Amino acid sequence: MTNIPETGRTPRVQIRLVVIQILVLSLLGTLGGRLWYLQIRNGDEYAKEASGNNVQQVVQPAVRGSILDARGVPIADNETRLVVSASRTDLLKMKDDGKAVLTKLAAVLGMKPQEVMEKVRLCDAKTPQPCWNGSPYQPIPVTDEATTQQALQIRERSEDFPGITAEPEAVRRYAAPGKSNTAQVLGYLSPVTDDEITKAKDSESPYLRSDQVGRSGLERQYDKELRGKAGVTRYEVDNLGRVIGKAESDAAEPGSNLVTSIDSRVQRVAEYELNNAMKVARQQFDKITGENYKADSGAVVVMEAKTGRIVAMASAPTYDPNVWVGGISAKDYKNLTGKNSDYPLLNRAIQGQSAPGSTFKVVSTAAAVEAGYEWDGGYPCTSSYSVGGQVFKNFEGESFGPISLGRALEVSCDTVFYGLADREWKKDGGINPKKGEPKDYFFKAAHQFGLGKETGVDLPNEVTGRVPDRQWKESYWKANKDAWCKTGKKDGSYVEKIAYENCLEGNKMREGDEINYSIGQGDTLVTPIQEAVIYGALANGGTMYQPTIGKAIVSPDGKTVQDIKPKAKGKLPVNKTALKGMDEALAGVVTRGTAAWKFGGWPQDKIALHAKTGTAEVYGKQTTSWFSTYSKDYTVVMTIAQAGTGSGASGEAVRNIYNALYGVQSDGSIDDKKALLPTPEKSLPKIQSDGSIDAPAISKDPAKDQHASESPSPGATDQQLPAGTAPSPTGSNRDTRRRTARPKKRRRLLT
C-alpha cells in the first residue's frame, strides 16, 4: 500500500510546484532588475528623453546671404515686407478652430477664405499644396504682400484678430525683367521637403522644416553658404500643447554673401541685345520656307578670356524670379512649365544644345593640322563636293579656288572641310575599318577641345552636348535599331529612308556622316558655354578654363573671405604655329570674312576682334544662328534658334555688346567714359563689419534709362545702357547721350 502525505500531494506534484515557484521567483527577479536598471541606473537619461517629448521648438529663419555682382551691387538680396501670419496654437483654442477669424482676415487681405484656410493647414500625405510644411508651433505666413493699410487694420483691431500678426520680415528679392534679372543664373527658392530633411539629418548643414532651399542656379549651387543657420527657441508644453515655459534659445546666424563675376550692367546689355536680336530676326523671312523666322529661344555668354569667369549669361525666353517668392501660384507655375511656355526655366547657356554649324570649324582645322595637313596648303574651295551621287554644296554655291586653311576659316568654305574629312575617312578604312586602324583625328580633336562633357561651370544641371564618334554611334544604334527597322522604308519618305539606312548600318561611320560632322552638322551638339570655353582658349593662347560665376564667399561681417580661384582644365590640341594662324584667320572674319558686313568701322587696330559665324541646319526647323567671338579680354558667344544666319541674326547684337564693354561709338571712336568694363574687374567689393558694402548707388529715376520699365524694380542696379548699345531697326546707333557718372555710396544689406 502506497503512503500518501496528509496534504494529499504526491512527490511528483510537489516537484512541479517547486519548479513553478522557482520560475515565478526568477521572473519577479528579472522584472525587479529591469525596473532598477530603468529607474535607478539609467533613470536620468530616460527622464531627460521623456521631458523632451514635452519640448517644442519655434524656428527663427536665418537671413539668407545676398548674391552680389562683381562691383558689390546686389542681384539677389532681401527686402523687408509686411508679413501677415497666423498662430495655429491660438486658432485651435477657439470653438470654431479660428474659422471666423480667418474669414475676417481674408476680407481684409482681399483673399478668399478658403485660400487663407488652406495656407494655414498642415501638410501631410493626404493634403495637397498649398499647406504649411513647417512646425505647427510657429507663426504660419499667410501673405508677404500686405499693404501698410492692411497691416494697420490688423494691428489696431487686434481684438478682432486673435492669433494674427502683421510684422515686417526679410524675404528674398530679385531684380525684375528689364533690370538685369539674371533669372536662370540666380535660380529660386522653395520650402525644404521631408526627404531632404531626412537625407541631410546627419550632415554638417542639416535642414530645419522651415528652411527655404535653392532649387536651381546659384541659389542651389551655393545653398549651404547662403542659407546660414536658423535660430531655435524651445518651449515647454503640456500634453495639450499649451506653452508652460521657455527652455532655451539659439540665435540665428545670417548666411554668407556670394560675390560673383557677373557685372549687372553688362548683364543687362546682354539681355537686351539678345531679346532685341530675336525681335529683329522675327521680322525677317526664311528663304526656304518663305515664312518669318520664329527666333523662339537663344542665349549669350560673356566670359573673361584669361580666367573663365562669367561676366554675363543671358537666356531667352526669361521670366521674373520673384514669382517664387512667398510660394508660386498654380497659374504662374503652368506659365513656366506648360507645353506652351517655351520653358523659360531652362538656362539655355548651359542646357541648350544644338548643332554648332561653322563655328565648329576651328575644331576641324585643328584636327586637320594634327592629321598632317599643311596650314598653307592649297585646298580646293569649290561650289560643291560630290560623294557617291550625293552633292554637298558650299554655302550659296560660293567658290574661292585653292585656298589655305586660314582662308577657309575666313570665308567659311564648307567644301574644303568636306574634302579633308572625306580623305581622313578613307584613310581610316572607310565604312568597315579594321580593328585599331581608325585614327579618327576629327573626333579626337572634339574631345580634346572639351566637347561631349560638362565644362564644370558652377551651376547645376549642365548638359554635356554630343560628339557622334564611333562609340556613340554604336550605342545609339543599339538603343534605336528596333524602332528604325520597324518604321524604315527603302522607297518611303525622307524620314523613312533615313530610318531604313540607320536600321542597316546606323552603327557604322558612313562617309556622309564624317563629311557633315566636319562643318558642325549631323548629330553633333554643343552648348554656348562650351563654345565660350573654346573661343576663350583661342584668345588666351590655348588654355581652357573651367567657367565660374562665383568669385568669393564673404562672411556677413566681411571679415572672412573665401576666394574662388580660376581653374585651368587643359590645353587646346593646337601647336603655336596653327594657333597663330587661326587667330589671324578669325580676325580676318571680322575685317574681310563672313562677319565683315556687321563690323564696318570697327577700330580693329585698337581693339582686335576675332569671330566665327555659324548657320546650323536642323531638320524640320529653321536654321540656328551662331556667332562666337573674342577680344584680348573677353569672349562673347550668342546663339538664336530658328533665326537664320550667324552674322545676320546675331552679328549686330554681339557688336553692340562689345560697344558697351569698350565704349566704342557709332563712328568707331572710343569714349573711355562710356566703357562699361574695358578690362575685367579684379578686386572684390568691400563689405564692412556692419554688413554694409561699398557699391555704386542705385538709380531711382527710370526716365534716365532709355530701356527701363515704368518704375524701378527692387534691387535694380546702376545699369544704364551706354550710348550705342540699342540699335535702331536699321542698325544705326542713334543714342549718343552721355551716361552720367554717379558717386559711390555704402549700401546696407539686410542682415
Side-chain angles (χ1 to χ4, degrees), residues 175-206:
K179 289 291 182 182
S180 146
N181 69 327
T182 329
Q184 294 87 355
V185 173
L186 292 173
Y188 60 92
L189 305 176
S190 71
V192 67
T193 65
D194 290 339
D195 186 52
E196 288 170 327
I197 293 174
T198 301
K199 289 181 179 179
K201 185 177 181 180
D202 299 323
S203 69
E204 296 179 358
S205 182

Side-chain angles (χ1 to χ4, degrees), residues 5 26 65 69 71 125 129 172 226 238 253 280 391 411 462 498 504 554 570 579 605 610 638 667 739:
S26 297
D69 84 344
R71 301 179 303 145
Q129 291 284 351
R172 205 57 165 169
L226 292 167
D238 60 18
E253 298 177 9
V280 172
V391 178
V411 298
E462 180 188 7
I498 294 296
L504 296 179
V554 184
L579 192 63
D605 57 333
H610 309 72
M638 180 177 287
D667 60 358
R739 183 171 63 91

Side-chain angles (χ1 to χ4, degrees), residues 18-34:
V18 170
V19 171
I20 292 172
Q21 288 173 349
I22 292 173
L23 289 173
V24 171
L25 290 173
S26 297
L27 290 172
L28 289 173
T30 301
L31 180 61
R34 183 61 179 169

